Amino acid sequence: MTESSTTEAAASGDMETSHGMESRYGAPKRRVTAKTQRWMILGALLLALAAMIYFTVGNAVGQIDHNDVGYTITSDTEAEVDFQVTKDLDATVQCMVHVLDNSYAVVGADIVTLGPQDGSNPEDRSQYYSTDVRTESRGVTGVVDSCWDAD
């Protein structure tokens, strides 16, 4: 065999090996185009946004939140506590309101029941309330300790 026939045989062997690889493992994969990459990134961002909205709205529904707004010590035996509660419109909620003295001891407590309320917008879930709490001695502050679903 001459050198040129050996080179030709080797080249034809490489081609056979190449075709043998394709038949065994399939054709080589095509590259993803830039346009396809952009669509994939956009799809992933939209999916992430949808998941964020789902979990945000899902966590807000059914939650009860309370905030202290203010208080007035009206006498040695009474205080008025103002607070805000965010709840579902049709829910009945109870809140524990405390009046504390200067050593943070509870000198008065009251459980306030808040029934269903009118409204149709998400903003209507938050309402302001006020309650009078009888105390054993003069208080210095009034707070909402906790709120829970009464249903």
Side-chain angles (χ1 to χ4, degrees), residues 54-64 86-88 125:
Y54 172 78
F55 288 115
T56 301
V57 171
N59 287 337
V61 174
Q63 257 188 343
I64 302 168
T86 302
K87 65 179 187 67
D88 288 340
R125 294 181 63 230

Side-chain angles (χ1 to χ4, degrees), residues 12-142:
S12 69
D14 286 343
M15 292 295 282
E16 288 175 12
T17 305
S18 169
H19 290 296
M21 297 284 263
E22 284 181 15
S23 66
R24 178 178 279 181
Y25 299 111
K29 294 190 177 191
R30 296 184 326 209
R31 283 183 36 98
V32 178
T33 65
K35 184 177 181 180
T36 304
Q37 285 178 347
R38 276 188 240 123
W39 280 109
M40 289 171 49
I41 291 170
L42 180 63
L45 289 173
L46 288 174
L47 187 63
L49 178 65
M52 184 180 70
I53 290 170
Y54 172 78
F55 288 115
T56 301
V57 171
N59 287 337
V61 174
Q63 257 188 343
I64 302 168
D65 189 28
H66 60 85
N67 294 313
D68 299 324
V69 174
Y71 63 91
T72 303
I73 306 300
T74 55
S75 71
D76 287 345
T77 59
E78 192 173 55
E80 181 182 335
V81 180
D82 303 318
F83 56 100
Q84 177 187 19
V85 175
T86 302
K87 65 179 187 67
D88 288 340
L89 296 172
D90 59 345
T92 299
V93 171
Q94 290 185 317
C95 295
M96 174 61 77
V97 180
H98 287 162
V99 176
L100 310 174
D101 67 7
N102 57 2
S103 64
Y104 301 106
V106 177
V107 294
D110 190 21
I111 295 177
V112 180
T113 302
L114 311 170
Q117 61 205 42
D118 293 332
S120 59
N121 297 325
E123 300 87 33
D124 296 334
R125 294 181 63 230
S126 294
Q127 297 285 323
Y128 289 95
Y129 301 94
S130 182
T131 187
D132 293 325
V133 181
R134 297 191 51 81
T135 61
E136 296 174 358
S137 60
R138 187 167 190 84
V140 296
T141 189

